Amino acid sequence: MDTAKKDPLLMTAKVLTSIVRIGLVLGMIALGIGIVGVVIASLGWLPTSISDHIAIESDGVVTAANLWLVLLPLLGAGIMVALSYDFVTRLAKMIDTVGEGDPFTIANAGRLTRMAWLALAIELVSFVTSILGDWVERRFDPGEVEFNSEFSLTGIVLALVLFILARVFREGARMRDELEGTV
Amino acid sequence: MGSDTDTEPTRIVVKLDDLLHARRMTLTQLAERVDITLANLSILKTGKAKAIRFSTLEAICRELQCQPGDLLGYEGEGETAQDA
């Protein structure tokens, strides 16, 4: 669209969200493979050559018996990536409506509400995953296994901002409806 | 206020057709002379407008050399615009 070419902010937003979505899809695929791999390994279905190799590489720390512990945080990460993908997809659709020149719609208000709940959910899963990560770490001797996970208040604030924005857009849509039919 | 008036059609009558005919002007020509899109003038002409700005009213009256009362009428219950 012509407006896109003349609007560097919109173009940047579209490109960035596309890149992020591709990255998230790749992340989901990688985590999916990882989860399947861990399940296979912990069920002892790996060929001995591979499981021996893992045991050697990890100095005997990771064995088929305790590999399942890794599964829980992996699942947490997978859920977070999926939720993030949903979030960025909604955002991409909103950016499209801005490009079309008609952003104040009930649909966008709905998208913002959904994005707010997703942001909250991501923070919650992140919190649970970090606790799981800590728990898994403690099952091993210190320093042998490390999980990095963050919990920040930023996500909660983001969710609040999005809820308020959804209200703003709902009101904007109402005002736009009233304006329609004014000549 | 808004939601009530949405359910019934307005009693305001727009007599743009008659005025255009009297001035021998088409809607397109009027749109070119005033700063209003043809689409909006069409909405006005077909009685689908919900509101009109004073600036629009002024522009139309200027070009068609008429009074607002020549352009707009009110049809009470059981009346036609001509009766009032």
Side-chain angles (χ1 to χ4, degrees):
Chain A
M1 291 198 107
D2 273 343
T3 42
K5 286 182 194 144
K6 295 176 195 159
D7 196 332
L9 172 65
L10 266 186
M11 270 311 290
T12 311
K14 284 190 193 203
V15 168
L16 271 182
T17 47
S18 299
I19 292 176
V20 169
R21 280 166 86 189
I22 292 172
L24 286 170
V25 168
L26 290 175
M28 278 193 278
I29 293 174
L31 279 169
I33 293 174
I35 288 171
V36 168
V38 167
V39 168
I40 291 176
S42 57
L43 287 174
W45 288 352
L46 279 182
T48 3
S49 54
I50 298 182
S51 54
D52 283 351
H53 182 78
I54 294 176
I56 292 170
E57 284 296 320
S58 60
D59 296 329
V61 171
V62 179
T63 62
N66 59 27
L67 197 54
W68 70 271
L69 288 171
V70 179
L71 200 57
L72 300 170
L74 268 185
L75 279 174
I79 292 172
M80 276 172 64
V81 171
L83 291 175
S84 302
Y85 180 77
D86 194 352
F87 186 95
V88 179
T89 305
R90 306 284 150 220
L91 180 60
K93 288 210 174 93
M94 279 194 67
I95 292 170
D96 284 342
T97 64
V98 172
E100 285 157 19
D102 192 21
F104 279 117
T105 58
I106 291 295
N108 272 350
R111 286 185 187 115
L112 281 167
T113 307
R114 188 185 173 106
M115 282 164 69
W117 284 116
L118 284 170
L120 268 184
I122 289 171
E123 272 314 308
L124 186 65
V125 173
S126 165
F127 181 62
V128 169
T129 306
S130 67
I131 290 182
L132 274 176
D134 271 348
W135 177 76
V136 171
E137 269 182 32
R138 271 187 239 114
R139 299 280 299 243
F140 295 88
D141 292 334
E144 281 177 343
V145 172
E146 250 187 68
F147 278 105
N148 284 320
S149 185
E150 289 147 21
F151 170 73
S152 77
L153 222 47
T154 315
I156 309 284
V157 173
L158 173 66
L160 275 177
V161 168
L162 290 173
F163 276 125
I164 298 292
L165 261 182
R167 289 270 187 97
V168 170
F169 268 69
R170 222 171 286 274
E171 178 63 15
R174 190 193 62 80
M175 288 170 68
R176 172 195 159 281
D177 272 349
E178 254 188 47
L179 203 57
E180 211 167 312
T182 297
V183 297
Chain B
M1 192 164 91
S3 47
D4 279 348
T5 51
D6 275 355
T7 50
E8 54 171 78
T10 178
R11 292 193 185 283
I12 299 290
V13 176
V14 177
K15 296 171 271 186
L16 194 51
D17 267 342
D18 301 334
L19 285 170
L20 283 172
H21 183 73
R23 303 280 181 270
R24 304 279 190 269
M25 204 188 292
T26 65
L27 203 62
T28 316
Q29 285 168 337
L30 180 61
E32 283 163 13
R33 293 190 195 188
V34 303
D35 192 18
I36 301 160
T37 62
L38 187 57
N40 273 352
L41 275 183
S42 216
I43 288 172
L44 187 59
K45 185 177 107 107
T46 53
K48 292 197 169 60
K50 288 192 219 164
I52 183 168
R53 296 187 184 92
F54 280 172
S55 56
T56 303
L57 194 52
E58 182 187 321
I60 293 175
C61 288
R62 186 187 67 231
E63 289 305 322
L64 296 182
Q65 291 161 4
C66 65
Q67 288 292 312
D70 302 325
L71 181 63
L72 304 170
Y74 170 73
E75 254 175 34
E77 287 187 38
E79 274 178 34
T80 59
Q82 278 79 31
D83 292 349

